[in-house]
């Protein structure tokens, strides 16, 4: 970096001093904290986004959101040129600059990193960053800090895309880098036209019963409800009622939203006994998570939850069916025997009943450590990779090679227009356009669920009955040092400290369909315990036994 560039960073960063005692870490959610202490962090992430753009010679994105956190929190994360998350290799640098104590130290860190990464400031190509934010009141001033960070890199430009869902910003970055149009209207048009295409391919236009024609959506009083109000006007075949859209005076994520519904298993605010039997869905604060539920007819506060595991199962079942139809005998020239690799990716937190169901369908199921970045990376290894966490965050990835083959196959099949095989090819192509392949997206996921339920002629009850979840329990155990626990096999086995895994195995063996694991938290000094068994009392008992073991080996009363 030349002196002019160093001086520009030095001067602008002095306007955004680091608050005393603040130490943040860039995780799956980027940086997240109380909004009042985030300005300097967001400013520095603006610099980071510009450097990432220069390094990759591509457009990047910066999103200001704290997703399902309370309204006073906020956060910031980067969308890489692929539309996915910031590459893991850059996370240590993100941590270093966010926590750099002085402007001078910040300049030195950036200078060293720029040399190591061979990032050129030659003026031939400038950095370009798309900025987005959710509906939090703190978003406006933090957006200004992000802009100043971007502008402190010579020649960098920032385009404010306004209030967006997180998945919309990621979609825009991916689309722009593929040379496509990427306004918000383009996003809505792609989703709505792909949805209409899928619905038009419903066999004999199967219709669900009248109750099921309507979908009621909890918008978490956030950006998702606002955007769904726009999108639903483009979907004339669907009746969607949005509640908790943020316009009725409710508080973001307070007693509402996918995170609340999935964890508490109770109705969000604004839902009542009269909604019993109606298909309901819940988005989280920035609309990257989605769960479904139905209100129980005998209790206005209880729900039957249809979580991310069941969304994954529905998607996997549908895609497997379409691939099977494509394999039917045909006299076409394109290699119809192309064996598409379909993979389902879960974490150890996926309910064991869902894993059993998927394996019974004959699907390849693999596990990764907890965290969307690990799931996404693994899913990308397949022709079609589907991943979801139980919390409702997930998506489907299609390889370029498979889509090219599918396109060619569709062209061949179009000679026998209207064949079942061609319809299957068209459905898969429509799914690849409807689903957001950059990140989990509650709006695109919701439309895909709705299209598949129409295709199957299923009510939410039919869907919910695919399998019955095993009862489970999650606990936390405070420890002196969470890093003392080292796991393997996608966090299902403890490698260190020695002997604890054998002790866990002894407890698990006592319960029918017992399963339990422990893992260190990514953010606090606690060990997380997960247990499941055939009945709730057994799951509770197993979780308590394993929590006692964790405390015995690692707890505050034991420094060994």
């Amino acid at each position: 970096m030349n002196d002019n560039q160093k001086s520009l960073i030095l001067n602008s960063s002095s306007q955004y001093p680091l608050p005393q005692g603040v130490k943040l870490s860039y995780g799956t959610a980027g940086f997240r904290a109380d909004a009042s202490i985030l300005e300097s962090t967001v400013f520095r992430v603006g610099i980071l986004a510009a450097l990432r753009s220069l390094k990759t010679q591509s457009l990047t994105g910066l999103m200001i959101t704290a997703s399902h956190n309370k309204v006073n929190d906020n956060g910031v994360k980067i969308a890489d040129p692929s539309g996915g998350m910031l590459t893991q290799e850059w996370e240590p640098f993100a941590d270093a600059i966010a926590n750099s104590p002085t402007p001078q130290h910040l300049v030195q860190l950036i200078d060293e990193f720029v040399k190591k990464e061979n990032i050129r400031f030659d003026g031939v190509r400038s950095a370009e960053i798309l900025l987005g934010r959710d509906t939090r009141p703190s978003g406006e001033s933090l957006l200004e800090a992000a802009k100043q960070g971007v502008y402190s890199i010579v020649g960098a430009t920032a385009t404010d895309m306004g209030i967006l869902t997180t998945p919309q910003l990621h979609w825009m970055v991916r689309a722009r880098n593929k040379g496509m149009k990427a306004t918000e209207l383009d996003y809505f048009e792609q989703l709505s036209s792909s949805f209409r295409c899928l619905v038009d391919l419903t066999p004999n236009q199967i219709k669900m019963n009248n109750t099921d024609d309507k979908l009621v959506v909890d918008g978490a009083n956030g950006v998702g409800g606002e955007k769904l109000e726009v999108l639903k006007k483009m979907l004339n075949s669907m009746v969607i009622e949005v509640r908790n859209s943020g316009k009725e005076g409710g508080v973001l994520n307070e007693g509402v939203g996918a995170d609340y519904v999935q964890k508490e298993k109770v109705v969000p605010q604004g839902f009542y006994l009269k909604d019993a039997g109606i298909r309901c869905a819940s988005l989280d604060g920035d609309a990257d998570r989605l769960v479904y539920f139905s209100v129980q007819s005998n209790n206005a506060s209880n729900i039957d939850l249809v979580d991310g595991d069941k969304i994954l199962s529905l998607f996997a079942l549908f895609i497997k069916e379409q691939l099977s139809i494509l394999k039917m005998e045909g006299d076409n020239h394109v290699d119809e025997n192309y064996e598409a690799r379909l993979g389902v990716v879960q974490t150890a937190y996926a309910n064991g009943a869902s894993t059993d169901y998927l394996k019974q369908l004959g699907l390849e199921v693999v596990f990764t450590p907890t965290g969307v970045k690990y799931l996404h990376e693994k899913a990308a290894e397949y022709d079609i990779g589907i991943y979801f966490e139980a919390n409702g965050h997930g998506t489907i990835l299609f390889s370029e090679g498979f889509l090219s083959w599918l396109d060619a196959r569709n062209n061949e099949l179009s000679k026998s227009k209207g064949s079942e095989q061609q319809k299957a090819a068209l459905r898969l192509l429509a799914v690849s356009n409807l689903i957001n392949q950059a990140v989990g997206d509650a709006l695109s996921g919701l439309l895909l669920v709705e299209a598949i339920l129409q295709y199957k002629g299923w009510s939410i009850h039919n869907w919910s009955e695919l399998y019955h979840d095993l009862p489970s329990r999650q606990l936390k155990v405070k420890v002196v040092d969470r890093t003392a626990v080292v796991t393997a096999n996608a966090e299902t086995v403890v490698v260190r400290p020695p002997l604890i895994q054998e002790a866990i195995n002894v407890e698990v063996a006592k319960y029918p369909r017992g399963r339990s694991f422990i893992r260190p938290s990514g953010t606090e000094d606690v060990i997380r315990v997960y247990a499941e068994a055939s009945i709730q009392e057994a799951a509770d008992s197993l979780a308590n036994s394993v929590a006692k073991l964790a405390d015995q080996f690692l707890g505050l009363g034991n420094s060994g």
Side-chain angles (χ1 to χ4, degrees), residues 10 15 53 74 83 87 97 140 148 176 181 251 262 264 283 295 335 339 379-380 456 508 521:
L10 202 61
Q15 307 299 309
S53 178
N74 217 323
T87 179
I97 63 168
E140 213 164 329
Q148 295 312 315
R176 276 285 301 274
K181 290 192 299 176
V251 179
Q262 189 252 339
E264 303 298 326
L283 321 175
V295 180
D335 177 14
E339 197 62 49
K456 303 286 285 181
V508 167
S521 163

Side-chain angles (χ1 to χ4, degrees), residues 31-252:
F31 293 113
R32 209 176 272 186
D34 190 284
S36 62
I37 59 168
L38 272 179
E39 272 197 356
S40 72
T41 308
V42 175
F43 164 80
R44 292 166 185 208
V45 174
I47 295 174
L48 184 71
L51 293 177
R52 187 74 189 140
S53 178
L54 284 176
K55 167 71 179 180
T56 58
Q57 294 289 281
S58 302
L59 175 137
T60 61
L62 183 153
M63 183 71 194
I64 295 168
T65 180
S67 188
H68 52 273
N69 281 35
K70 60 184 188 288
V71 70
N72 293 340
D73 286 350
N74 217 323
V76 59
K77 55 179 154 183
I78 286 180
D80 237 20
S82 65
M85 297 175 185
L86 175 68
T87 179
Q88 290 173 55
E89 285 80 30
W90 276 46
E91 285 183 14
F93 176 60
D95 288 352
I97 63 168
N99 297 305
S100 179
T102 64
Q104 291 78 7
H105 186 254
L106 178 66
V107 170
Q108 186 188 335
L109 272 177
I110 294 169
D111 195 34
E112 287 167 4
F113 186 75
V114 161
K115 283 174 186 158
K116 179 172 82 76
E117 289 285 325
N118 194 25
I119 298 172
R120 296 186 182 175
F121 292 78
D122 54 15
V124 176
R125 170 86 192 252
S126 63
E128 191 179 354
I129 295 89
L130 299 186
L131 305 178
R133 62 186 174 96
D134 68 15
T135 52
R136 292 163 199 273
S138 57
E140 213 164 329
S141 61
L142 292 177
L143 187 87
E144 188 53 40
K147 283 181 185 171
Q148 295 312 315
V150 172
Y151 297 151
S152 66
I153 298 299
V154 174
T157 60
T159 307
D160 179 4
M161 304 304 288
I163 290 175
L164 298 172
T165 71
T166 296
Q168 281 182 313
L169 182 82
H170 284 264
W171 182 92
M172 288 170 179
V173 169
R174 181 176 187 264
R176 276 285 301 274
N177 284 322
K178 282 176 165 280
M180 293 154 56
K181 290 192 299 176
T183 64
E184 189 173 20
L185 182 60
D186 295 319
Y187 168 88
F188 285 137
E189 284 181 344
Q190 183 168 318
L191 262 61
S192 57
S193 63
S194 308
F195 173 75
R196 283 194 298 271
C197 177
L198 264 178
V199 169
D200 288 346
L201 289 161
T202 298
N204 307 321
Q205 299 303 308
I206 292 170
K207 270 287 169 198
M208 293 180 283
N209 65 52
N210 290 337
T211 324
D212 278 321
D213 272 347
K214 182 177 175 185
L215 172 69
V216 185
V217 181
D218 157 32
N221 290 320
V223 62
E226 197 176 291
K227 300 303 181 188
L228 188 55
E229 290 284 13
V230 179
L231 182 58
K232 76 176 194 181
K233 290 171 185 159
M234 303 168 81
L235 306 169
N236 43 20
S237 65
M238 259 190 84
V239 181
I240 301 176
E241 181 189 336
V242 183
R243 297 183 192 166
N244 306 322
S245 69
K247 300 283 187 242
E248 308 96 336
V251 179
L252 175 73

